[in-house]
């Protein structure tokens, strides 16, 4: 015997929320794959300075997002099917998956908040080491110059700060392609600032997506519990 009345409305409401949840999982998966293959981040984070690889902390977060998006799509499908079939077993499994996913999202959010400044800091330290190596190198045998030029061309910057970025083109035009006048006009285009802007913008996007998903998950947990109670009561009668 199927559910009736308000419980039936909750059933279809849960289906709609699960469909939105499934779509959100697909969007998060797509955004994560885009961030993973974004030309700016890949150009920088694939660099290698001697035997030292560029910091990959950012990619750890991206891989977590990819996994979360894929799991969300599976859980959303499970919730849709469980709601339509009015299956307490499927809805119970769906609720358990939601709780686990919500806990993982909270843990990932805490990890991201703790490491958000560290990501940019590590990349800036890597750039500073490459910049110093490029300035001190007597020949092109070191790849420091290639690393620095990649940063400069990708982020359209020059030097770790405004002063160095303005003066460097005067005597090292092999590192900065900007002329001196343009360096004066764009004195705020330091690489440290550009690195901060690059990662803060992407982390801001990830944070918004996480908040939206968390709100949807809370609603779904409430609806799934109410629907399970309604199905149990209707089966008794």
């Amino acid at each position: 015997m199927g559910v009736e009345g308000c419980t039936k409305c909750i059933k279809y409401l849960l289906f709609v929320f699960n469909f939105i949840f499934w779509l959100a999982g697909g969007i998060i998966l797509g955004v994560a794959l885009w961030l993973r293959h974004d030309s700016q981040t890949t150009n920088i984070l694939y660099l290698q300075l001697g035997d030292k690889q560029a910091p990959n902390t950012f990619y750890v977060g991206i891989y977590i997002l990819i996994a979360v998006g894929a799991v969300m799509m599976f859980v959303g499908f499970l919730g849709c099917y469980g709601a339509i079939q009015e299956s307490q077993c499927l809805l119970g499994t769906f609720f358990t998956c939601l709780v686990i996913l919500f806990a993982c999202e909270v843990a990932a959010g805490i990890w991201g908040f703790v490491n958000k400044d560290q990501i940019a800091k590590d990349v800036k330290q890597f750039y500073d080491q490459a910049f110093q190596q490029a300035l001190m190198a007597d020949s092109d045998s070191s790849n420091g110059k290639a690393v620095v030029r990649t940063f400069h061309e990708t982020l359209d910057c020059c030097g770790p700060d405004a002063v160095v970025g303005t003066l460097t083109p005067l005597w090292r035009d092999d590192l900065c392609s900007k002329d001196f006048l343009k360096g004066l006009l764009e004195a705020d285009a330091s690489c440290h600032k550009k690195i901060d802007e690059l990662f803060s913008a992407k982390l801001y996007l990830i944070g918004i997506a996480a908040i939206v998903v968390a709100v949807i998950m809370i609603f779904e947990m409430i609806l799934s519990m109410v629907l399970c109670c309604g199905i149990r009561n209707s089966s008794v009668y």
Side-chain angles (χ1 to χ4, degrees), residues 57-158:
T57 311
F58 181 73
Y59 278 153
V60 173
I62 297 303
Y63 293 138
I64 292 174
L65 267 187
I66 292 173
V68 167
V71 173
M72 281 178 61
M73 294 188 71
F74 170 75
V75 173
F77 173 78
L78 183 66
C80 286
Y81 188 73
I84 291 299
Q85 294 296 318
E86 299 179 10
S87 170
Q88 293 187 60
C89 179
L90 288 176
L91 288 173
T93 304
F94 166 71
F95 180 81
T96 303
C97 290
L98 271 184
V99 172
I100 295 173
L101 193 59
F102 185 79
C104 291
E105 184 177 352
V106 171
I110 294 173
W111 178 87
F113 180 79
V114 171
N115 289 278
K116 65 182 179 67
D117 295 328
Q118 190 63 35
I119 293 172
K121 181 180 178 181
D122 291 342
V123 175
K124 285 187 285 189
Q125 288 178 347
F126 180 79
Y127 167 78
D128 290 344
Q129 291 175 1
F131 191 76
Q132 291 297 324
Q133 185 172 310
L135 292 179
M136 301 295 291
D138 296 329
S139 65
D140 292 340
S141 57
S142 169
N143 70 331
K145 183 186 294 186
V147 170
V148 169
R149 285 190 64 87
T150 301
F151 269 93
H152 292 172
E153 293 170 3
T154 301
L155 301 179
D156 192 24
C157 62
C158 180

Side-chain angles (χ1 to χ4, degrees), residues 35-47 59:
L35 290 174
R36 174 63 182 80
H37 299 286
D38 177 58
S39 59
Q40 282 189 315
T41 52
T42 52
N43 285 347
I44 291 174
L45 298 179
Y46 272 165
L47 293 172
Y59 278 153

Side-chain angles (χ1 to χ4, degrees), residues 190-212:
S190 67
C191 288
H192 280 195
K193 181 179 179 181
K194 292 288 188 176
I195 290 170
D196 284 331
E197 291 174 353
L198 174 66
F199 289 103
S200 63
K202 289 175 169 49
L203 291 174
Y204 180 73
L205 177 65
I206 294 171
I208 292 176
I211 292 172
V212 172

Side-chain angles (χ1 to χ4, degrees), residues 5 16 33 36 66 73 76 92-93 116 142 184-185 213 217 221:
V16 171
L33 291 174
R36 174 63 182 80
I66 292 173
M73 294 188 71
T93 304
K116 65 182 179 67
S142 169
L184 287 175
L185 295 175
V213 170
M217 288 171 67
M221 284 189 282

